[in-house]
Coordinates of all heavy atoms in Angstrom, one line a residue:
A1 N 143.1 233.6 223.4 CA 143.1 234.9 222.8 C 141.8 235.1 221.9 O 141.3 236.2 221.9 CB 144.4 235.1 221.9
A2 N 141.4 234.1 221.2 CA 140.2 234.2 220.3 C 139.0 234.4 221.2 O 138.1 235.2 220.9 CB 140.1 232.9 219.5
N3 N 138.9 233.7 222.3 CA 137.8 233.9 223.2 C 137.8 235.3 223.8 O 136.7 235.9 223.9 CB 137.9 232.8 224.4 CG 137.5 231.4 223.9 OD1 136.9 231.2 222.9 ND2 138.0 230.5 224.7
L4 N 138.9 235.8 224.1 CA 139.0 237.2 224.7 C 138.5 238.2 223.6 O 137.8 239.1 223.9 CB 140.4 237.5 225.1 CG 140.7 238.8 225.8 CD1 139.8 239.0 227.0 CD2 142.1 239.0 226.1
L5 N 139.0 238.0 222.4 CA 138.5 238.9 221.3 C 137.0 238.8 221.2 O 136.3 239.9 221.1 CB 139.2 238.5 220.0 CG 140.6 238.9 219.8 CD1 141.2 238.2 218.6 CD2 140.8 240.4 219.8
C6 N 136.5 237.6 221.1 CA 135.0 237.5 221.0 C 134.3 238.1 222.2 O 133.3 238.7 222.0 CB 134.7 236.0 220.8 SG 133.0 235.6 220.3
D7 N 134.8 237.8 223.4 CA 134.1 238.4 224.6 C 134.1 239.9 224.6 O 133.2 240.5 225.2 CB 134.8 237.8 225.8 CG 134.6 236.4 226.1 OD1 133.7 235.8 225.4 OD2 135.4 235.8 226.9
N8 N 135.1 240.5 223.9 CA 135.2 241.9 223.8 C 134.5 242.5 222.6 O 134.7 243.7 222.2 CB 136.6 242.4 223.9 CG 137.2 242.3 225.3 OD1 136.6 242.7 226.2 ND2 138.3 241.6 225.4
G9 N 133.7 241.7 221.9 CA 132.9 242.1 220.8 C 133.6 242.2 219.5 O 133.0 242.7 218.5
V10 N 134.8 241.7 219.4 CA 135.5 241.7 218.1 C 134.9 240.5 217.3 O 134.9 239.4 217.7 CB 137.0 241.5 218.3 CG1 137.7 241.4 217.0 CG2 137.5 242.7 219.1
L11 N 134.5 240.8 216.1 CA 134.0 239.8 215.2 C 135.1 239.4 214.2 O 135.9 240.2 213.7 CB 132.8 240.3 214.4 CG 131.6 240.7 215.2 CD1 130.5 241.3 214.3 CD2 131.1 239.5 216.0
F12 N 135.3 238.1 214.0 CA 136.3 237.7 213.0 C 135.7 236.5 212.2 O 134.8 235.8 212.7 CB 137.6 237.3 213.7 CG 137.5 236.3 214.8 CD1 137.6 234.9 214.5 CD2 137.3 236.7 216.1 CE1 137.5 234.0 215.6 CE2 137.2 235.8 217.1 CZ 137.3 234.4 216.9
D13 N 136.2 236.4 211.0 CA 135.6 235.3 210.1 C 136.7 234.4 209.6 O 136.5 233.7 208.6 CB 134.8 235.9 209.0 CG 135.5 236.9 208.2 OD1 136.7 237.0 208.3 OD2 134.9 237.6 207.3
G14 N 137.9 234.5 210.2 CA 138.9 233.6 209.8 C 140.0 233.5 210.8 O 140.1 234.3 211.7
V15 N 140.8 232.5 210.7 CA 141.9 232.3 211.6 C 143.1 231.7 210.8 O 142.9 230.8 210.0 CB 141.6 231.4 212.9 CG1 141.1 230.1 212.5 CG2 142.7 231.3 213.8
I16 N 144.3 232.2 211.0 CA 145.5 231.7 210.4 C 146.6 231.6 211.4 O 146.5 232.2 212.5 CB 145.9 232.5 209.1 CG1 146.3 233.9 209.6 CG2 144.9 232.6 208.1 CD1 147.1 234.7 208.5
S17 N 147.6 231.0 211.0 CA 148.8 230.9 211.9 C 150.0 231.4 211.1 O 150.1 231.1 209.9 CB 149.1 229.5 212.3 OG 150.3 229.4 212.9
L18 N 150.8 232.2 211.8 CA 152.0 232.7 211.2 C 153.2 231.8 211.6 O 154.3 232.1 211.3 CB 152.3 234.1 211.6 CG 151.2 235.1 211.2 CD1 151.6 236.5 211.7 CD2 151.0 235.1 209.7
C19 N 152.9 230.7 212.2 CA 153.9 229.7 212.6 C 153.6 228.4 211.9 O 152.5 228.2 211.4 CB 153.8 229.4 214.1 SG 154.0 230.8 215.1
W20 N 154.6 227.6 211.7 CA 154.4 226.3 211.0 C 153.9 225.2 211.8 O 153.5 224.2 211.3 CB 155.7 225.9 210.3 CG 156.8 225.8 211.3 CD1 157.7 226.8 211.7 CD2 157.2 224.7 212.1 NE1 158.6 226.3 212.6 CE2 158.3 225.0 212.9 CE3 156.7 223.4 212.2 CZ2 158.9 224.1 213.8 CZ3 157.3 222.5 213.0 CH2 158.3 222.9 213.8
D21 N 153.9 225.3 213.2 CA 153.6 224.2 214.0 C 152.3 224.4 214.8 O 152.1 223.9 215.9 CB 154.7 223.9 215.0 CG 155.0 225.1 215.9 OD1 154.5 226.2 215.7 OD2 155.8 224.9 216.9
C22 N 151.3 225.2 214.3 CA 150.1 225.5 215.0 C 148.9 225.0 214.4 O 147.8 225.5 214.6 CB 150.0 227.0 215.2 SG 151.4 227.8 216.1
A23 N 149.0 224.0 213.6 CA 147.8 223.5 212.8 C 146.7 223.1 213.8 O 145.5 223.4 213.5 CB 148.2 222.3 211.9
T24 N 147.0 222.4 214.9 CA 145.9 222.0 215.8 C 145.2 223.2 216.5 O 144.0 223.2 216.6 CB 146.5 221.0 216.9 OG1 147.6 221.6 217.5 CG2 146.9 219.7 216.3
S25 N 146.0 224.2 216.8 CA 145.4 225.4 217.4 C 144.5 226.1 216.4 O 143.3 226.5 216.8 CB 146.5 226.4 217.8 OG 147.3 225.9 218.8
V26 N 144.9 226.3 215.2 CA 144.0 226.9 214.2 C 142.8 226.1 214.0 O 141.7 226.6 213.9 CB 144.8 227.1 212.9 CG1 143.9 227.5 211.7 CG2 145.9 228.1 213.0
A27 N 142.9 224.7 213.9 CA 141.7 223.9 213.7 C 140.8 224.0 214.9 O 139.5 224.0 214.7 CB 142.2 222.4 213.5
L28 N 141.3 224.0 216.1 CA 140.4 224.1 217.3 C 139.7 225.4 217.3 O 138.5 225.5 217.6 CB 141.3 224.0 218.6 CG 141.7 222.6 218.9 CD1 142.8 222.6 220.0 CD2 140.5 221.7 219.3
I29 N 140.4 226.5 217.0 CA 139.7 227.9 217.0 C 138.7 227.9 215.9 O 137.6 228.4 216.1 CB 140.8 229.0 216.9 CG1 141.7 229.0 218.1 CG2 140.1 230.3 216.6 CD1 142.9 229.9 217.9
A30 N 139.0 227.4 214.7 CA 138.1 227.5 213.6 C 136.8 226.6 214.0 O 135.7 227.0 213.7 CB 138.7 226.9 212.4
N31 N 137.0 225.5 214.6 CA 135.9 224.6 214.9 C 135.0 225.3 216.0 O 133.8 225.3 215.9 CB 136.4 223.3 215.5 CG 135.3 222.3 215.8 OD1 134.3 222.7 216.3 ND2 135.6 221.1 215.5
R32 N 135.7 225.9 217.0 CA 134.9 226.6 218.1 C 134.0 227.7 217.5 O 132.9 228.0 218.0 CB 135.9 227.2 219.1 CG 135.4 228.2 220.0 CD 134.5 227.6 221.1 NE 134.2 228.5 222.2 CZ 133.2 229.4 222.1 NH1 132.5 229.5 221.1 NH2 133.0 230.2 223.2
Y33 N 134.5 228.4 216.5 CA 133.8 229.6 215.9 C 133.1 229.3 214.6 O 132.8 230.2 213.9 CB 134.7 230.8 215.9 CG 135.0 231.3 217.3 CD1 136.2 230.9 217.9 CD2 134.1 232.0 218.0 CE1 136.5 231.3 219.2 CE2 134.4 232.4 219.3 CZ 135.6 232.1 219.9 OH 135.9 232.5 221.2
D34 N 133.0 228.0 214.3 CA 132.4 227.6 213.0 C 132.9 228.2 211.8 O 132.2 228.7 210.9 CB 130.8 227.8 213.1 CG 130.1 227.0 212.1 OD1 130.5 225.9 211.8 OD2 129.0 227.4 211.7
L35 N 134.3 228.2 211.7 CA 135.0 228.8 210.6 C 135.5 227.7 209.7 O 135.7 226.6 210.2 CB 136.1 229.7 211.0 CG 135.8 230.8 212.0 CD1 137.0 231.4 212.6 CD2 134.9 231.8 211.3
F36 N 135.7 227.9 208.4 CA 136.2 226.9 207.5 C 137.7 226.6 207.9 O 138.5 227.5 208.1 CB 136.2 227.5 206.1 CG 136.7 226.5 205.1 CD1 135.9 225.4 204.7 CD2 138.0 226.6 204.6 CE1 136.4 224.5 203.8 CE2 138.5 225.7 203.6 CZ 137.7 224.7 203.2
S37 N 137.9 225.3 208.0 CA 139.3 224.8 208.4 C 139.4 223.4 208.1 O 138.4 222.7 207.8 CB 139.5 225.1 209.8 OG 140.8 224.6 210.3
V38 N 140.6 222.9 208.1 CA 140.8 221.4 208.1 C 140.3 220.9 209.4 O 140.2 221.6 210.4 CB 142.3 221.0 207.9 CG1 142.8 221.5 206.6 CG2 143.1 221.5 209.1
S39 N 140.0 219.6 209.5 CA 139.5 219.0 210.7 C 140.6 218.9 211.7 O 141.8 218.9 211.4 CB 138.9 217.6 210.4 OG 140.0 216.7 210.1
L40 N 140.3 218.8 213.0 CA 141.3 218.6 214.0 C 142.1 217.3 213.7 O 143.3 217.3 213.9 CB 140.6 218.5 215.4 CG 141.6 218.3 216.6 CD1 142.7 219.4 216.6 CD2 140.8 218.2 217.9
E41 N 141.4 216.3 213.3 CA 142.1 215.0 212.9 C 143.2 215.3 211.8 O 144.3 214.8 211.9 CB 141.1 214.0 212.4 CG 141.7 212.7 212.0 CD 140.7 211.7 211.4 OE1 139.6 212.1 211.0 OE2 141.1 210.5 211.4
T42 N 142.8 216.0 210.8 CA 143.8 216.3 209.7 C 144.9 217.2 210.3 O 146.1 217.0 209.9 CB 143.0 217.0 208.6 OG1 142.0 216.2 208.1 CG2 144.0 217.4 207.5
A43 N 144.6 218.2 211.1 CA 145.6 219.0 211.7 C 146.6 218.2 212.5 O 147.8 218.4 212.5 CB 145.0 220.1 212.6
E44 N 146.1 217.3 213.3 CA 147.0 216.4 214.1 C 147.8 215.5 213.2 O 149.0 215.3 213.5 CB 146.1 215.6 215.1 CG 145.6 216.4 216.3 CD 144.7 215.7 217.2 OE1 144.2 214.6 216.8 OE2 144.4 216.2 218.3
M45 N 147.2 215.0 212.2 CA 147.9 214.1 211.2 C 149.0 214.9 210.6 O 150.1 214.3 210.4 CB 146.9 213.6 210.2 CG 147.5 212.5 209.3 SD 146.3 211.9 208.1 CE 144.8 211.6 209.0
A46 N 148.8 216.1 210.3 CA 149.9 217.0 209.7 C 151.0 217.3 210.7 O 152.1 217.5 210.3 CB 149.3 218.2 209.2
S47 N 150.7 217.2 212.0 CA 151.7 217.7 213.0 C 152.5 216.5 213.7 O 153.5 216.8 214.2 CB 150.9 218.4 214.2 OG 150.2 219.5 213.7
I48 N 152.0 215.3 213.6 CA 152.6 214.2 214.3 C 153.2 213.3 213.2 O 152.5 212.7 212.4 CB 151.7 213.4 215.2 CG1 151.0 214.4 216.2 CG2 152.4 212.2 215.8 CD1 149.9 213.8 217.0
K49 N 154.6 213.3 213.1 CA 155.3 212.7 212.0 C 154.9 211.3 211.7 O 154.7 210.9 210.5 CB 156.8 212.8 212.2 CG 157.3 214.2 212.1 CD 158.8 214.2 212.3 CE 159.4 215.6 212.1 NZ 158.9 216.6 213.1
D50 N 154.8 210.4 212.7 CA 154.6 209.0 212.4 C 153.1 208.8 211.9 O 152.9 208.0 211.0 CB 154.9 208.1 213.5 CG 154.0 208.2 214.7 OD1 153.6 209.3 215.1 OD2 153.6 207.2 215.3
V51 N 152.2 209.6 212.4 CA 150.8 209.5 211.9 C 150.7 210.0 210.5 O 150.1 209.4 209.7 CB 149.9 210.3 212.9 CG1 148.5 210.4 212.3 CG2 149.9 209.8 214.3
R52 N 151.4 211.1 210.2 CA 151.4 211.6 208.8 C 152.0 210.6 207.9 O 151.5 210.4 206.8 CB 152.1 213.0 208.8 CG 152.2 213.6 207.4 CD 153.0 214.9 207.4 NE 154.4 214.7 207.9 CZ 155.0 215.4 208.8 NH1 154.4 216.5 209.3 NH2 156.2 215.2 209.2
S53 N 153.2 210.1 208.2 CA 153.9 209.2 207.4 C 153.0 207.9 207.1 O 153.0 207.4 206.0 CB 155.2 208.8 208.0 OG 156.1 209.9 208.0
K54 N 152.4 207.4 208.1 CA 151.5 206.2 208.0 C 150.3 206.6 207.0 O 149.9 205.7 206.2 CB 151.0 205.7 209.3 CG 152.0 205.0 210.1 CD 151.5 204.7 211.5 CE 152.7 204.1 212.4 NZ 152.3 204.0 213.8
A55 N 149.8 207.8 207.2 CA 148.7 208.2 206.3 C 149.2 208.3 204.8 O 148.5 207.8 203.9 CB 148.1 209.5 206.7
F56 N 150.3 208.8 204.6 CA 150.9 208.9 203.3 C 151.1 207.5 202.7 O 150.7 207.2 201.6 CB 152.3 209.6 203.3 CG 152.2 211.1 203.4 CD1 153.4 211.8 203.7 CD2 151.1 211.8 203.2 CE1 153.4 213.2 203.8 CE2 151.0 213.2 203.3 CZ 152.2 213.9 203.6
E57 N 151.7 206.6 203.5 CA 152.0 205.2 203.1 C 150.6 204.5 202.7 O 150.6 203.9 201.7 CB 152.7 204.5 204.3 CG 153.2 203.2 203.9 CD 154.0 202.6 205.1 OE1 153.4 202.3 206.1 OE2 155.3 202.5 204.9
G58 N 149.6 204.7 203.6 CA 148.3 204.1 203.3 C 147.6 204.6 202.1 O 146.9 203.9 201.4
A59 N 147.9 205.9 201.7 CA 147.3 206.5 200.6 C 148.2 206.3 199.3 O 147.8 206.8 198.2 CB 147.0 207.9 200.8
G60 N 149.3 205.7 199.4 CA 150.2 205.6 198.3 C 150.9 206.8 197.9 O 151.4 207.0 196.8
V61 N 151.0 207.8 198.8 CA 151.7 209.1 198.5 C 153.2 208.8 198.7 O 153.7 208.4 199.8 CB 151.2 210.2 199.5 CG1 152.1 211.5 199.3 CG2 149.8 210.4 199.3
P62 N 154.0 209.1 197.7 CA 155.5 208.9 197.9 C 156.0 209.8 199.0 O 155.7 211.0 199.1 CB 156.1 209.4 196.6 CG 154.9 209.3 195.6 CD 153.7 209.6 196.4
S63 N 156.8 209.2 199.9 CA 157.4 209.9 201.0 C 158.6 209.1 201.5 O 158.8 207.9 201.2 CB 156.4 210.1 202.1 OG 155.9 208.9 202.6
P64 N 159.5 209.8 202.2 CA 160.7 209.1 202.7 C 160.3 207.9 203.6 O 159.3 207.9 204.3 CB 161.4 210.1 203.5 CG 160.9 211.4 203.0 CD 159.5 211.2 202.6
K65 N 161.2 206.9 203.6 CA 161.0 205.7 204.5 C 161.1 206.2 205.9 O 161.8 207.2 206.2 CB 162.1 204.7 204.3 CG 162.0 203.9 203.1 CD 162.9 202.7 203.1 CE 164.3 203.0 203.3 NZ 165.2 201.8 203.1
F66 N 160.4 205.6 206.8 CA 160.4 206.0 208.2 C 160.2 204.8 209.1 O 159.7 203.8 208.7 CB 159.3 207.0 208.5 CG 158.0 206.4 208.7 CD1 157.5 206.1 210.0 CD2 157.2 206.1 207.6 CE1 156.2 205.6 210.1 CE2 155.9 205.5 207.7 CZ 155.4 205.3 209.0
R67 N 160.7 204.9 210.3 CA 160.4 203.9 211.4 C 160.4 204.7 212.7 O 161.1 205.7 212.9 CB 161.5 202.9 211.5 CG 161.7 201.9 210.3 CD 160.4 201.0 210.2 NE 160.5 200.3 209.0 CZ 160.0 200.6 207.8 NH1 159.3 201.7 207.7 NH2 160.1 199.8 206.8
V68 N 159.5 204.2 213.6 CA 159.5 204.8 214.9 C 160.5 204.1 215.8 O 160.5 202.8 215.8 CB 158.1 204.7 215.6 CG1 158.1 205.1 217.0 CG2 157.0 205.4 214.8
I69 N 161.4 204.8 216.3 CA 162.5 204.2 217.1 C 162.3 204.6 218.5 O 162.2 205.7 218.9 CB 163.9 204.9 216.6 CG1 164.1 204.7 215.2 CG2 165.0 204.3 217.5 CD1 164.3 203.3 214.7
K70 N 162.1 203.5 219.4 CA 161.8 203.7 220.8 C 163.0 203.4 221.7 O 163.1 203.9 222.8 CB 160.6 202.9 221.2 CG 159.3 203.4 220.5 CD 158.2 202.6 221.0 CE 156.9 203.1 220.3 NZ 155.7 202.5 220.8
T71 N 163.9 202.6 221.2 CA 165.1 202.2 222.0 C 166.4 202.3 221.2 O 166.3 202.4 220.0 CB 164.9 200.8 222.5 OG1 165.0 199.9 221.4 CG2 163.6 200.6 223.3
Y72 N 167.5 202.3 221.9 CA 168.7 202.3 221.2 C 168.9 201.0 220.4 O 169.4 201.1 219.2 CB 169.9 202.4 222.3 CG 171.2 202.5 221.7 CD1 171.7 203.6 221.0 CD2 172.1 201.4 221.8 CE1 172.9 203.7 220.4 CE2 173.4 201.5 221.2 CZ 173.8 202.6 220.6 OH 175.0 202.7 220.0
D73 N 168.4 199.9 220.8 CA 168.4 198.7 220.0 C 167.6 198.8 218.8 O 168.0 198.3 217.7 CB 167.9 197.5 220.9 CG 168.9 197.0 221.9 OD1 170.1 197.3 221.8 OD2 168.5 196.4 222.9
D74 N 166.5 199.5 218.8 CA 165.7 199.8 217.6 C 166.5 200.5 216.6 O 166.5 200.3 215.4 CB 164.4 200.6 217.9 CG 163.3 199.8 218.6 OD1 163.4 198.6 218.7 OD2 162.4 200.5 219.1
L75 N 167.2 201.5 217.1 CA 168.1 202.3 216.3 C 169.2 201.5 215.6 O 169.3 201.5 214.4 CB 168.7 203.5 217.1 CG 169.7 204.4 216.3 CD1 168.9 205.1 215.2 CD2 170.3 205.3 217.3
L76 N 169.8 200.7 216.4 CA 170.9 199.8 215.8 C 170.3 198.8 214.8 O 171.0 198.6 213.8 CB 171.6 199.0 216.9 CG 172.4 199.9 217.9 CD1 173.0 199.0 219.0 CD2 173.5 200.7 217.2
C77 N 169.1 198.3 215.0 CA 168.5 197.3 214.1 C 168.1 198.0 212.8 O 167.9 197.3 211.8 CB 167.4 196.6 214.7 SG 167.8 195.5 216.1
S78 N 167.9 199.3 212.8 CA 167.4 200.0 211.6 C 168.6 200.4 210.7 O 168.3 200.6 209.5 CB 166.7 201.3 212.0 OG 165.5 201.0 212.7
F79 N 169.8 200.4 211.1 CA 170.9 200.7 210.2 C 171.0 199.9 209.0 O 171.1 200.5 207.9 CB 172.3 200.6 211.0 CG 172.5 201.7 212.0 CD1 173.3 201.4 213.1 CD2 172.0 203.0 211.8 CE1 173.5 202.4 214.1 CE2 172.2 203.9 212.8 CZ 173.0 203.7 213.9
P80 N 170.8 198.6 209.0 CA 170.9 197.8 207.7 C 169.8 198.2 206.7 O 170.1 198.2 205.5 CB 170.8 196.4 208.2 CG 171.2 196.4 209.6 CD 170.8 197.7 210.2
E81 N 168.6 198.5 207.2 CA 167.5 198.9 206.3 C 167.7 200.3 205.7 O 167.4 200.5 204.6 CB 166.2 198.8 207.1 CG 165.0 199.2 206.3 CD 163.7 199.2 207.1 OE1 163.7 198.9 208.3 OE2 162.7 199.6 206.5
F82 N 168.2 201.2 206.5 CA 168.2 202.6 206.1 C 169.6 203.0 205.5 O 169.7 203.8 204.6 CB 167.9 203.5 207.2 CG 166.4 203.6 207.5 CD1 165.8 202.7 208.4 CD2 165.6 204.5 206.9 CE1 164.5 202.7 208.6 CE2 164.2 204.5 207.1 CZ 163.7 203.6 208.0
G83 N 170.6 202.4 206.1 CA 172.0 202.8 205.7 C 172.3 204.3 206.1 O 171.5 204.9 206.8
F84 N 173.4 204.7 205.7 CA 173.8 206.1 206.0 C 173.9 207.0 204.8 O 174.1 206.4 203.7 CB 175.2 206.1 206.6 CG 175.3 205.5 208.0 CD1 175.6 204.2 208.2 CD2 174.9 206.3 209.1 CE1 175.7 203.6 209.5 CE2 174.9 205.7 210.4 CZ 175.3 204.4 210.6
P85 N 173.6 208.2 204.8 CA 173.2 209.0 206.0 C 171.7 208.8 206.2 O 171.0 208.5 205.3 CB 173.5 210.4 205.7 CG 173.4 210.5 204.2 CD 173.8 209.1 203.7
F86 N 171.2 209.0 207.4 CA 169.8 209.1 207.7 C 169.5 210.2 208.7 O 170.5 210.7 209.3 CB 169.3 207.7 208.2 CG 169.8 207.3 209.6 CD1 169.1 207.6 210.7 CD2 171.0 206.6 209.7 CE1 169.6 207.3 211.9 CE2 171.5 206.2 210.9 CZ 170.8 206.6 212.0
I87 N 168.3 210.5 208.9 CA 167.9 211.6 209.8 C 167.1 211.0 210.9 O 166.1 210.2 210.7 CB 167.1 212.6 209.0 CG1 167.9 213.2 207.9 CG2 166.5 213.7 210.0 CD1 167.1 214.1 207.0
L88 N 167.4 211.4 212.1 CA 166.6 211.0 213.3 C 165.9 212.2 213.8 O 166.6 213.2 214.1 CB 167.6 210.4 214.3 CG 167.1 209.8 215.6 CD1 166.2 208.5 215.2 CD2 168.2 209.4 216.5
K89 N 164.6 212.1 213.9 CA 163.8 213.3 214.3 C 162.9 213.0 215.5 O 162.5 211.8 215.6 CB 162.9 213.7 213.2 CG 163.6 214.2 211.9 CD 162.5 214.6 210.9 CE 163.1 215.3 209.7 NZ 162.0 215.8 208.9
P90 N 162.6 214.0 216.3 CA 161.5 213.8 217.3 C 160.2 213.5 216.6 O 160.0 214.0 215.5 CB 161.5 215.1 218.1 CG 162.1 216.1 217.2 CD 163.0 215.4 216.3
I91 N 159.3 212.7 217.1 CA 158.1 212.3 216.5 C 157.0 213.4 216.4 O 156.2 213.4 215.5 CB 157.6 211.0 217.1 CG1 156.7 210.3 216.1 CG2 156.9 211.2 218.4 CD1 156.5 208.8 216.4
D92 N 157.0 214.2 217.5 CA 155.9 215.1 217.6 C 156.3 216.6 217.2 O 157.3 217.0 217.6 CB 155.4 215.2 219.1 CG 154.1 215.9 219.3 OD1 153.4 216.2 218.3 OD2 153.8 216.3 220.4
Q93 N 155.5 217.2 216.4 CA 155.7 218.6 215.9 C 157.0 218.7 215.2 O 157.2 218.0 214.2 CB 155.6 219.5 217.1 CG 154.3 219.5 217.8 CD 153.2 220.3 217.1 OE1 153.4 221.1 216.3 NE2 151.9 220.0 217.5
S94 N 157.9 219.5 215.7 CA 159.1 219.8 214.9 C 160.1 218.7 215.1 O 161.1 218.6 214.4 CB 159.7 221.1 215.4 OG 160.1 221.0 216.8

């Protein structure tokens, strides 16, 4: 859409998202048109839960405990560490 606008002579000097899960799209468009934005790396870090949580942990930012669960056995082994209740989320985006 940004390319189409530009191709049709529309000038713009910023890009925002009205959605909460579009950080990578905004970063890519901003980068393509040399607009101020977070880096693509930062946008991806904000969008992918385990990457974000590892970055928080590495920087000493307080955040909830997390583990990447790949199998049912991983899930069962995590119960003693986390206890109940706990939240199981998809790792990417929402």
